[in-house]
Amino acid sequence: MRILIADDDEQLQRALRITLSARGYEVVAAHDGAEAIDLVASTRPDLILLDLGMPKVEGVDVIRAVRAWSRVPILVLSGRTDSAEKVDALDAGADDYVTKPFAMDELLARIRARARAVSGDDADAATVAIGELTVDLVAKTIRGRGEDERAASVRLTPTEWRLLELFLRNPGRLLTRQMLLGEVWGPYHANDAGYLRLYVAQLRRKLEPVPSEPRHFLTEPGMGYRFEP
């Protein structure tokens, strides 16, 4: 798996290169936004680790440029903590956002999650596990393991199925409120966060082992939600 590191922090770039190379990843590096765009085209990376505050071309503009022709996963690494900037990056097409400083174990876990999605193991599967439940996205059925009778009583509305499928097709990815609302309810409901809170609560009530302590449908404050299988 080839990873492009686009960051002008030489010390962080060196640490990432050493860590990722030691785990078998092939690493290429860019020191500014313009170089990052060129390297995406010339090296065809499988994943991009991208800082937002870079010389020549800002990170959000890099995302927009890459998204014009590529679906390569983009994981933002940034010291910017403002929720609006995070949402801008995600709405521009980033797949995830990690705030600096970060734990290397967390970053490696996010990379593995994106690698699974790229391989198609999660994104294209007809059936997806949620804890002890198995969801069949084609047959629109939910079943439990063994004698789990809880699954037999789970019934989802058409809207709940559309929302659930978005989550299941994007495991580990941070999905913004605007993206979820637009995909499920349409562009005229992009600011109707009440709809989304209600339906996420219903999915938790029906699919989480303990709805008040969600393990799979997680809230990212100020940004959106994330599905963890």
Side-chain angles (χ1 to χ4, degrees):
M1 181 177 182
R2 181 180 297 124
I3 297 177
L4 168 62
I5 304 171
D7 198 308
D8 62 337
D9 183 332
E10 292 286 352
Q11 186 174 351
L12 176 60
Q13 193 176 105
R14 189 180 308 110
L16 288 172
R17 181 188 290 274
I18 292 171
T19 299
L20 295 173
S21 297
R23 284 161 175 77
Y25 297 107
E26 179 184 347
V27 178
V28 292
H31 300 84
D32 60 62
E35 185 181 14
I37 295 171
D38 290 342
L39 284 175
V40 173
S42 62
T43 67
R44 301 284 177 164
D46 301 297
L47 175 74
I48 300 171
L49 301 180
L50 176 69
D51 183 30
L52 291 184
M54 287 192 301
K56 296 187 179 180
V57 180
E58 275 276 307
V60 171
D61 292 324
V62 173
I63 296 169
R64 294 192 181 104
V66 171
R67 282 289 172 261
W69 57 273
S70 174
R71 298 307 305 166
V72 59
I74 300 174
L75 202 167
V76 171
L77 308 178
S78 179
R80 299 178 180 178
T81 58
D82 183 72
S83 293
E85 293 193 72
K86 294 180 181 181
V87 169
D88 286 345
L90 293 163
D91 284 343
D95 294 273
D96 209 344
Y97 195 110
V98 177
T99 302
K100 298 176 182 176
F102 51 83
M104 194 62 72
D105 287 346
E106 177 190 359
L107 177 62
L108 292 171
R110 299 282 180 89
I111 291 172
R112 290 193 295 271
R114 299 320 312 160
R116 289 194 297 270
V118 168
S119 72
D121 293 342
D122 293 322
D124 298 324
T127 60
V128 180
I130 304 177
E132 295 297 312
L133 302 176
T134 299
V135 179
D136 189 321
L137 293 171
V138 176
K140 295 290 190 291
T141 59
I142 299 173
R143 63 180 186 274
R145 297 180 186 175
E147 301 300 319
D148 188 347
E149 297 179 357
R150 180 167 63 97
S153 63
V154 174
R155 296 289 184 271
L156 301 184
T157 67
T159 300
E160 289 169 348
W161 273 112
R162 289 198 297 274
L163 181 59
L164 178 62
E165 183 166 1
L166 275 175
F167 280 125
L168 269 53
R169 296 295 188 192
N170 295 278
R173 180 181 177 184
L174 199 164
L175 304 177
T176 66
R177 291 189 298 259
Q178 290 88 341
M179 180 269 189
L180 291 167
L181 285 163
E183 289 288 335
V184 177
W185 287 276
Y188 296 108
H189 294 279
N191 295 314
D192 294 336
Y195 282 122
L196 188 56
R197 285 195 297 271
L198 173 63
Y199 277 88
V200 170
Q202 290 177 184
L203 288 182
R204 286 170 173 164
R205 179 173 58 81
K206 295 179 178 183
L207 302 175
E208 289 276 8
V210 183
S212 61
E213 300 176 5
R215 294 163 47 194
H216 305 293
F217 301 96
L218 307 179
T219 300
E220 294 286 352
M223 293 181 286
Y225 298 90
R226 186 194 307 273
F227 169 67
E228 295 292 351

